[in-house]
């Protein structure tokens, strides 16, 4: 009995110290398939579709809706009639274009936090580019999103807060006015 107890205590200590990997950890198993995956398409600035068919919501940011570019007026030949009355590009469009340029058709690494899935089946993650840049923070840094920290996903909360502060201080994106 004493030997069994000693073995359990030793195994527990090795797991805690990280010597023995807990292969039954669902986040660890889940992250194995997301180390080098291509972003197939930007749905919204905070929602990507990966080449494996999975949708990932970017943790820590709240962005605008996808720019409305459908049902545009067309001429008799089917060409879109450009509206030249207001040549400025909205912040919504700039945010979507920035996120698209940053991630679309690029290989990324998705890192999960404490809660990777919500009750509705949405998957949440931090997206890292090949150069190590965290896309979540970069979108905030350019002022194209509002900060949304929601426990228990706090792994990179300080980095996200700092990027948001920088955008506000430099009056970038939505903070320009």
């Amino acid at each position: 009995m004493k030997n069994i107890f000693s073995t359990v205590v030793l195994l527990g200590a090795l797991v805690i110290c990280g010597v023995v990997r807990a292969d039954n950890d669902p986040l660890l198993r889940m992250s194995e398939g997301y180390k080098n995956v291509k972003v197939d398409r930007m749905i919204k600035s905070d929602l990507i579709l990966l080449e494996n068919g999975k949708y990932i919501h970017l943790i820590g940011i709240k962005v605008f809706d996808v720019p409305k570019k459908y049902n545009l007026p067309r001429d008799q030949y089917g060409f879109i009639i450009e509206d030249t009355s207001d040549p400025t590009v909205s912040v919504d469009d700039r945010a979507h274009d920035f996120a698209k340029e940053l991630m679309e058709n690029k290989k990324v690494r998705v890192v999960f936090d404490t809660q990777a899935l919500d009750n509705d089946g949405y998957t949440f993650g931090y997206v890292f580019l090949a150069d190590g840049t965290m896309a979540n923070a970069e979108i905030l840094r350019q002022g194209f999103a509002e900060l949304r920290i929601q426990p228990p996903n706090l792994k990179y909360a300080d980095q996200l807060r700092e990027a948001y502060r920088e955008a506000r201080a430099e009056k970038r994106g939505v903070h320009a006015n």
Side-chain angles (χ1 to χ4, degrees):
M1 184 71 161
K2 187 176 180 181
N3 288 338
I4 294 173
F5 179 74
S6 298
T7 302
V8 169
V9 170
L10 179 61
L11 184 60
L14 290 173
V15 168
I16 290 171
C17 293
V19 175
V20 175
R21 204 169 90 176
D23 285 332
N24 61 352
D25 180 357
L27 287 179
L28 184 60
R29 284 196 320 264
M30 190 172 168
S31 66
E32 292 298 318
Y34 292 86
K35 288 185 177 177
N36 189 26
V37 64
K38 186 176 121 190
V39 175
D40 190 49
R41 189 165 46 104
M42 294 300 307
I43 307 302
K44 293 191 333 183
S45 302
D46 68 342
L47 177 63
I48 60 175
L49 172 63
L50 300 175
E51 67 182 340
N52 64 8
K54 298 291 184 182
Y55 290 91
I56 304 290
H57 283 271
L58 277 63
I59 295 173
I61 64 176
K62 180 179 186 274
V63 297
F64 314 104
D65 290 331
V66 176
K68 305 283 190 269
K69 293 187 179 179
Y70 51 86
N71 294 332
L72 297 173
R74 297 181 181 272
D75 67 11
Q76 63 187 5
Y77 303 106
F79 293 105
I80 295 172
I81 300 171
E82 296 291 330
D83 181 13
T84 56
S85 62
D86 185 9
T88 61
V89 178
S90 73
V91 174
D92 299 357
D93 288 338
R94 288 179 35 221
H96 188 261
D97 291 346
F98 176 79
K100 186 175 180 174
E101 178 71 26
L102 188 66
M103 292 181 277
E104 197 168 88
N105 294 317
K106 295 184 180 164
K107 294 283 187 170
V108 299
R109 176 174 54 98
V110 180
V111 174
F112 302 102
D113 207 333
T114 303
Q115 181 184 15
L117 298 170
D118 71 1
N119 293 336
D120 297 322
Y122 290 109
T123 304
F124 298 101
Y126 303 97
V127 176
F128 288 87
L129 306 175
D131 67 0
T133 301
M134 184 199 310
N136 312 49
E138 197 56 34
I139 292 168
L140 284 168
R141 184 172 287 106
Q142 297 307 316
F144 291 131
E146 293 293 328
L147 180 65
R148 177 188 258 172
I149 303 293
Q150 292 183 290
N153 291 337
L154 303 173
K155 185 183 286 189
Y156 297 105
D158 291 341
Q159 188 175 345
L160 295 171
R161 281 188 190 100
E162 183 55 37
Y164 184 71
R165 283 187 201 113
E166 184 180 322
R168 290 185 62 158
E170 298 293 324
K171 299 189 184 314
R172 293 186 195 129
V174 296
H175 311 292
N177 297 334

